[in-house]
Each structure stands twice: as structure tokens, then as C-alpha cells.
Amino acid sequence: MTAAPNTRLAEPRDAAAIAEIYNQGIEDRTATFETEPRTAEVVEGLLRTRADRYPAVVVADGTRVLGFAWTSEYRPRSAYAGVAEFTIYVSRDVRGQGVGRLALGALIKEAERRGFTKLVSRIFPSNIASRRLCAGMGFREVGIYRRHGQLDGKWMDCVVVEKLLGAARD
């Protein structure tokens, strides 16, 4: 990293960098069931359609995006309106340098500011870095979804994590 990284809300101009980082995660096969690379156009569309309700943040070092975290709808029922799923990815060359912590911290603050009461995610049990990050940021491991999906023909379990925010936390 050349300059001190900062966080900000993601913008459509970040779509290519976000797609590149997300595609690294797809290639690595350690963080997502997704197998098809995302294009900048697809990511830009997601950013535009989610922007009003579901926050997305980036960590940038000068003009380069180093990582991102974003939220999406958990379930369409109104009872779950305060719950969002989250995803976080960091560029390979800066993993382990605090970028994930910055991204997740900013996402938590923005989600709470927008009135969300819970963030949830699913993490492969072997993704120790993500599990440690979440634990360090106050998430609790709720349980394990056994054989939740297949990746490259292999059954994968998922650890479910949650963090209560705002009124639900209090």
C-alpha cells in the first residue's frame, strides 16, 4: 500500500476494481460458491440497484480499490427488512494487512446508520481468515449448514455468522 487506506461508499466507477477482486475470490475457490466471473457491467448494475437500500463500501489506497464489502437482501419477507447479508473480499496482494477489517468496520457502521438490525453471512469452515475477522468484529458463529452446496463437484459446509446492530443489539 502506498498511502494510508481509507473507506468510502462504493460508486459505479469502482465496478471494474470490485469485479477484479471478486473474480480473484472465485478463482481461489475459498470464499464463494460462484464459479462464473463477474463483469464490471454486472457489478455496476448491482451497485446501482442496491445503492439506495443496501450499502457497499470500498477500501482505497489513493485511487486503487484494495477491497470491498457489500450487503444484499437476506429474504424478501417484510419481517426480515432489518436483516442484510454481507460479503467481503480483499485483493490478493494486500490480504492480511487490515483491509478486510477496515471494509467490514465501515460496512457495519453504514448498515447501522441505515437502520439495519442484523448482518449475516456464510463462510466456508476452511476460510480461517474470514472467520477470525468476523469474530474479531463481534460476529458470533451461529452454526454450520452441512453440505450447503457443491463447488467443483464437492459438497461444502458453511459456518453461519451474525452480528446484531442498533435496536436488536440494545
Side-chain angles (χ1 to χ4, degrees):
M1 293 184 276
T2 57
N6 61 27
T7 60
R8 60 174 170 76
L9 290 175
E11 301 172 1
R13 67 184 168 106
D14 300 316
I18 290 171
E20 180 181 339
I21 294 166
Y22 186 67
N23 290 339
Q24 290 175 4
I26 292 171
E27 291 168 12
D28 293 346
R29 298 294 204 257
T30 60
T32 181
F33 284 108
E34 186 66 62
T35 58
E36 297 295 321
R38 294 272 173 95
T39 65
E41 293 76 23
V42 166
V43 170
E44 183 177 343
L46 289 171
L47 290 171
R48 288 185 188 281
T49 59
R50 294 178 183 170
D52 289 341
R53 175 70 178 135
Y54 298 99
V57 298
V58 296
V59 177
D61 174 6
T63 58
R64 179 180 173 225
V65 172
L66 305 172
F68 73 93
W70 63 21
T71 55
S72 60
E73 183 179 53
Y74 170 68
R75 299 281 187 273
R77 292 184 182 146
S78 61
Y80 301 121
V83 182
E85 290 198 52
F86 76 93
T87 299
I88 179 168
Y89 288 88
V90 175
S91 182
R92 280 187 195 118
D93 64 321
V94 293
R95 290 180 189 161
Q97 298 181 37
V99 172
R101 179 171 296 281
L102 288 171
L104 188 52
L107 187 71
I108 291 166
K109 286 179 186 172
E110 185 61 21
E112 195 162 27
R113 189 187 73 74
R114 292 187 188 199
F116 284 97
T117 55
K118 182 188 280 193
L119 292 178
V120 298
S121 192
R122 292 173 305 277
I123 305 169
F124 292 153
S126 59
N127 191 341
I128 301 301
S130 289
R131 291 175 68 189
R132 284 185 181 149
L133 170 63
C134 287
M137 299 294 289
F139 286 81
R140 74 178 188 106
E141 292 190 355
V142 177
I144 297 176
Y145 287 146
R146 301 277 306 171
R147 296 184 175 176
H148 196 58
Q150 289 191 18
L151 182 61
D152 299 327
K154 177 184 171 193
W155 283 107
M156 302 291 288
D157 296 344
C158 289
V159 176
V160 180
V161 298
E162 72 174 4
K163 181 177 177 78
L164 299 177
L165 307 174
R169 180 192 59 233
D170 304 332

